[in-house]
Amino acid sequence: MFTLPDLDYPYDALGTYISKTIMELHHTKHHQTYIDKVNAALEQAPDLQDKAIEELISNLDDVPEQIRTVVRNHGGGHYNHSLFWKFMSPHGGGEPGGKLADGLKEKYGSYQGFIDVFSDKAVSLFGSGWVWLEPDLSIMTTPNQDSPLMSDNSAPLLGLDVWEHAYYLDYTYKRGDYVQAWWHVVNWPEVESRFAALKTSD
Ligand code: MN3
């Protein structure tokens, strides 16, 4: 059964970019609810209870049909949010380095070119969902709590939650302001290490 992971930083650590109120509600209420609901669903499928979340949501066809949608939505929510907390840091922001920086420059012309494309997809995504940086450095969006794992079995390098619960208390309808602020807390060393781990396993 899944449990809520601790954050690596206090709720107020992201300063004015994302408020303590949002961080606390997002973690203890929204993320906890995804966990509670996927755990409740899995009570109907005890043989799946020992599976890692990655394995569970990347093989939804193996999940009994009567709980598949719940596992997709709430298992996806658990996986996505577990990553999201690690994608941010009180020491975040700046620009990526190393091979990741080289790759982004090659694909988008410049670091700013990457930021612009990613931000535009985040702002223009209709409804609730996520924007992801994929292992091949392409950018994809998913609706609801879907994960890239569900469609191409690839764990993302970086992802941004653009559900209103992630920003509305701080930014109201101004999703673009939230997206611009978020770049100040992105944990690039985490993204770089995910990228490096990929490269060595090829
Ligand atoms: Mn969320």
Side-chain angles (χ1 to χ4, degrees):
M1 303 301 264
F2 301 112
T3 55
L4 188 66
D6 290 332
L7 300 193
D8 297 328
Y9 42 83
Y11 290 123
D12 64 0
L14 303 182
T16 58
Y17 299 118
I18 303 179
S19 67
K20 178 184 180 187
T21 305
I22 284 190
M23 289 301 296
E24 190 162 10
L25 290 172
H26 203 172
H27 184 244
T28 65
K29 304 300 180 195
H30 294 277
H31 190 170
Q32 184 68 58
T33 299
Y34 297 125
I35 291 168
D36 292 344
K37 291 194 173 172
V38 71
N39 283 344
L42 289 176
E43 285 179 13
Q44 295 175 53
D47 52 316
L48 297 179
Q49 285 178 351
D50 292 335
K51 289 194 185 295
I53 191 64
E54 293 86 350
E55 195 182 355
L56 191 65
I57 65 169
S58 57
N59 296 286
L60 286 169
D61 289 347
D62 296 344
V63 175
E65 197 175 352
Q66 74 269 19
I67 61 168
R68 193 175 298 151
T69 300
V70 175
V71 170
R72 179 180 193 135
N73 289 338
H74 295 277
H78 172 44
Y79 174 74
N80 291 344
H81 287 82
S82 297
L83 290 177
F84 187 54
W85 312 130
K86 298 207 168 284
F87 292 151
M88 301 186 290
S89 162
H91 313 293
E95 295 190 12
K99 292 203 182 312
L100 177 64
D102 295 343
L104 290 174
K105 276 178 192 139
E106 190 178 326
K107 202 168 181 83
Y108 297 97
S110 63
Y111 169 70
Q112 191 59 46
F114 159 72
I115 298 294
D116 290 347
V117 174
F118 191 105
S119 299
D120 184 60
K121 284 183 187 278
V123 171
S124 58
L125 176 63
F126 182 75
S128 296
W130 292 73
V131 187
W132 306 99
L133 178 63
E134 287 276 89
D136 66 358
L137 303 186
S138 64
I139 298 165
M140 76 177 285
T141 61
T142 56
N144 307 313
Q145 292 296 348
D146 283 3
S147 160
L149 276 183
M150 295 172 186
S151 55
D152 60 15
N153 206 18
S154 65
L157 303 176
L158 176 68
L160 172 58
D161 185 346
V162 295
W163 282 56
E164 285 188 348
H165 69 228
Y167 64 88
Y168 212 86
L169 287 174
D170 287 350
Y171 296 97
T172 64
Y173 62 92
K174 296 170 191 158
R175 188 192 283 181
D177 289 357
Y178 160 64
V179 172
Q180 290 311 311
W182 182 71
W183 293 114
H184 293 276
V185 296
V186 169
N187 185 4
W188 286 115
E190 170 71 17
V191 185
E192 285 166 28
S193 86
R194 292 174 73 83
F195 188 60
L198 260 164
K199 286 292 172 187
T200 51
S201 65
D202 278 347

